[in-house]
Amino acid sequence: MKISILKNELNESIGHVSKAISSRTTIPILTGIKLEVSHQGVTLTASDTDISIQSFIPAENDSHTIVKVEQPGSVVLPAKFFVEIIKKLPSKEIHMEVKEGFQTYISSGSTEIQIVGLDPEEFPVLPSIEENETISIPGDLLKNMIKQTAFSISTQETTPILTGILWNLTDNEFKFTATDRHRLATRAAHLEGTDNVQFGNIVIAGKTLNELSKIIPDQNMLVDIVVADNQVLFKIDKVLFYSRILDGIYPDTSRIIPTAYKTELTLDTKKLSESIDRAYLLSREEKTNIVRMQTLEQGGIEISSSSSELGKVREELEVTDFKGEPLKISFNSKYMLDVLKVVESEQLMIAFTGMMSPIILRPLDESNSMYVILPYRTTN
């Protein structure tokens, strides 16, 4: 293998595939990035068995030469060193040559580096996926759906299925659901052209989807998603991102969502967020994160929290609309702030069915998203 390649293009591709490198793997070959060179260009691949990412660098793009191929071939290079050294090379062009025993020589400007490579034949083959069920979704919409649900996944590996986000596609409605048993987030979107595609109980690790989100470009590019038996493939421009589907049945979350409410409040999202953020400062010191909310006789609500060492904070907020019974409730302010950070609507409806019933949050301008937080039982 012998090539010359533009540094920026190689760096960008390495940045994509390196998200699949695990520092915890005990399989030496998976600590590396596989490079395959043909006369069409260079393909980089990395895998940690749960996710695999492949990125293609074409030899030419818009009549500009990116890769000059003198000799095709392949090698696996240690990712940790390879990622860092390519960033720090001095010249815009990099020359690479693989010799006997996978000894790899890299030069750029006056810098010369020798790396001991590994046999590419030992690198695992990428999953084979039949493209029977394929959907297309705008990249910015997919990133938004991930952002508005991923914060609610469980971080406890004791229940692996809850570390993922549940996907359902029925009647052109693509829906994400995430819960850690203390809170729940759902986000749905209408997808055109999916009349013949339906699936349910597809659960993908939240960490994986967060890594995917970093690869999706900011331009509104379509992302193709292929769903198979135990794998999902995302096609993003010249990047292929494979993810394993988590084993198990996701719990039925519909049973915890009330359909009728005793109290409904509509508030300014930004003002509520700022108020709870101030109250959180004291509740955090108490290591409970408990903040209290109660309706006031003269209208409006009161937000309060206390710390045995620091004192108390209390403030009143106006409400845009109020229906139903008076209420006093306690909740985890960190969970509430996580929701308020991802809500884009200026107005938020908060609904309750009682002191110990789930708190429902619905952004008024985002009818396709909903959040649930379980309240705390307190002595006062």
Side-chain angles (χ1 to χ4, degrees), residues 93-116:
E93 192 171 57
I94 296 168
H95 306 281
M96 298 180 67
E97 185 175 2
V98 179
K99 296 187 177 179
E100 194 175 336
F102 303 106
Q103 294 289 330
T104 304
Y105 297 83
I106 300 172
S107 62
S108 173
S110 59
T111 304
E112 292 184 358
I113 297 148
Q114 182 182 343
I115 304 177
V116 179

Side-chain angles (χ1 to χ4, degrees), residues 68 71 116 123 155 208 219 225 232 235 242 254 285 287 357 362 369:
K68 295 173 193 163
Q71 186 183 342
V116 179
F123 202 84
T155 55
T208 296
Q219 314 83 291
I225 303 174
V232 173
K235 297 180 174 181
Y242 297 81
S254 62
E285 291 298 318
K287 298 193 169 47
S357 299
R362 290 184 182 274
S369 61

